[in-house]
Amino acid sequence: MELPERLRTEGYRLTLQRQLVLQAVTELGHATPDDVFGWVRDRAEKVNLSTVYRALELLEHLGLVTHTHLGHGAPTYHPANVPEHVHLVCRDCGGVSEVEPAAVASMVETLEAQRGFRADVAHLTVFGSCAECTDAGR
Amino acid sequence: MELPERLRTEGYRLTLQRQLVLQAVTELGHATPDDVFGWVRDRAEKVNLSTVYRALELLEHLGLVTHTHLGHGAPTYHPANVPEHVHLVCRDCGGVSEVEPAAVASMVETLEAQRGFRADVAHLTVFGSCAECTDAGR
DNA sequence: GTTGGTGCAAAATGTTTGCACGGGG
DNA sequence: CCCCGTGCAAACATTTTGCACCAAC
């Protein structure tokens, strides 16, 4: 846990809520703000949803968590220390899976070479149809 | 305009609102539901925002428009008859640009081969940092 | 004439903000 | 002791829904 140091070096305070939010993101893996809220709440700790939002924003600023949009309006947060991965979201069954960045490396290189655009792989989500749903469709 | 036929073949009715919404999406290129609402409203036609949402949903179902998420919660709609393209969104300046599907073809093939996952390229948005912002950062 | 579509208003989501109190440093 | 962070309530933004009326077919 590197939370205390990261907070201190930027002049922020260490609070129970911030620790719990980071812990929730770490344990849940793919968590929406509401998931995090529920996780902390279930542990009988009193927190407010707005505090969760503020904590997530701060943790992201500190580089301890990242977020991605897995569709509609629900952002999901990941611990940043987890290996980077790309999300695949199936439009038919709603399933979410992950692939290593290597699978999209050539795309990233192409964008960088052609446009000078540096893709943020950790934030990348690809929508489509998974193998099961594609098979079922025929 | 193939709206009338598409509607009829599935038993839907042709209304002025649906025509205007499709026209708005076509002319605007990258439009949020609210953009569409404004466009129609500016032409002195009375429409309700909820009608716009319902029309967009129907048009998407008919395959006449598609939508993508260009960040946060704002979905943007495109006419489906426009050539497929991938969106690049710069996290720093907020700029949106487009690239041909060829740039991501290898990624799509890899996903299909490794996972049997069929990527929906038209819906793909890559977040990152554009050339200008990357340069400015150093 | 039927029935689906629209307008309107209210509800449901999801996120942000102002403010006073309490705890961290 | 100072002042940042939290809880709380209200404000916001966006999308959805129920219902009565009107228009497309």
Side-chain angles (χ1 to χ4, degrees):
Chain A
M1 169 84 60
E2 47 173 342
L3 220 209
E5 307 87 66
R6 297 307 316 278
L7 286 172
R8 244 173 261 131
T9 61
E10 294 211 36
Y12 296 106
R13 294 182 180 173
L14 176 62
T15 66
L16 178 57
Q17 289 86 338
R18 287 170 178 173
Q19 298 179 65
L20 288 169
V21 167
L22 178 56
Q23 204 177 327
V25 171
T26 302
E27 304 229 345
L28 293 172
H30 288 122
T32 62
D34 207 64
D35 290 336
V36 171
F37 178 62
W39 189 93
V40 178
R41 213 149 204 5
D42 287 348
R43 281 172 182 49
E45 299 297 342
K46 67 161 205 289
V47 241
N48 192 278
L49 227 201
S50 54
T51 299
V52 171
Y53 276 100
R54 289 187 276 225
L56 286 172
E57 182 181 20
L58 177 61
L59 293 173
E60 186 157 33
H61 169 71
L62 295 177
L64 295 173
V65 305
T66 59
H67 82 277
T68 309
H69 295 280
L70 262 37
H72 42 282
T76 62
Y77 288 79
H78 306 267
N81 56 34
V82 124
E84 269 199 341
H85 55 275
V86 174
H87 291 101
L88 303 184
V89 177
C90 178
R91 209 62 121 316
D92 300 319
C93 68
V96 177
S97 51
E98 306 172 0
V99 290
E100 345 72 68
V104 302
S106 66
M107 175 191 78
V108 173
E109 285 160 22
T110 302
L111 294 180
E112 169 97 48
Q114 287 189 358
R115 306 295 200 93
F117 187 91
R118 310 199 142 204
D120 173 4
V121 177
H123 195 289
L124 184 61
T125 298
V126 181
F127 293 88
S129 182
C130 69
E132 292 73 42
C133 293
T134 298
D135 292 341
R138 60 197 53 192
Chain B
M1 168 83 63
E2 47 173 342
L3 219 208
E5 308 86 68
R6 297 306 317 278
L7 287 171
R8 244 172 261 132
T9 60
E10 294 211 36
Y12 295 107
R13 293 181 183 173
L14 175 62
T15 67
L16 177 58
Q17 289 85 339
R18 286 170 179 173
Q19 297 180 64
L20 289 168
V21 168
L22 177 56
Q23 202 177 329
V25 171
T26 303
E27 303 229 346
L28 293 171
H30 289 122
T32 63
D34 206 63
D35 290 336
V36 171
F37 177 61
W39 188 95
V40 178
R41 217 153 200 1
D42 287 349
R43 280 173 182 50
E45 298 298 342
K46 65 162 208 286
V47 240
N48 191 278
L49 229 201
S50 54
T51 299
V52 171
Y53 277 100
R54 290 187 276 224
L56 286 171
E57 182 181 20
L58 177 60
L59 292 173
E60 187 157 32
H61 170 70
L62 294 177
L64 294 173
V65 306
T66 58
H67 83 276
T68 310
H69 296 280
L70 261 39
H72 42 283
T76 61
Y77 287 79
H78 305 268
N81 57 34
V82 124
E84 269 199 341
H85 56 273
V86 174
H87 290 102
L88 302 183
V89 178
C90 177
R91 209 60 121 320
D92 301 319
C93 68
V96 177
S97 51
E98 306 173 359
V99 290
E100 344 71 70
V104 302
S106 66
M107 174 190 78
V108 174
E109 285 159 23
T110 302
L111 295 180
E112 168 96 49
Q114 286 188 1
R115 307 296 199 92
F117 187 90
R118 311 199 141 202
D120 172 4
V121 177
H123 195 289
L124 184 62
T125 298
V126 181
F127 293 88
S129 183
C130 69
E132 293 73 43
C133 293
T134 300
D135 292 341
R138 62 195 50 190

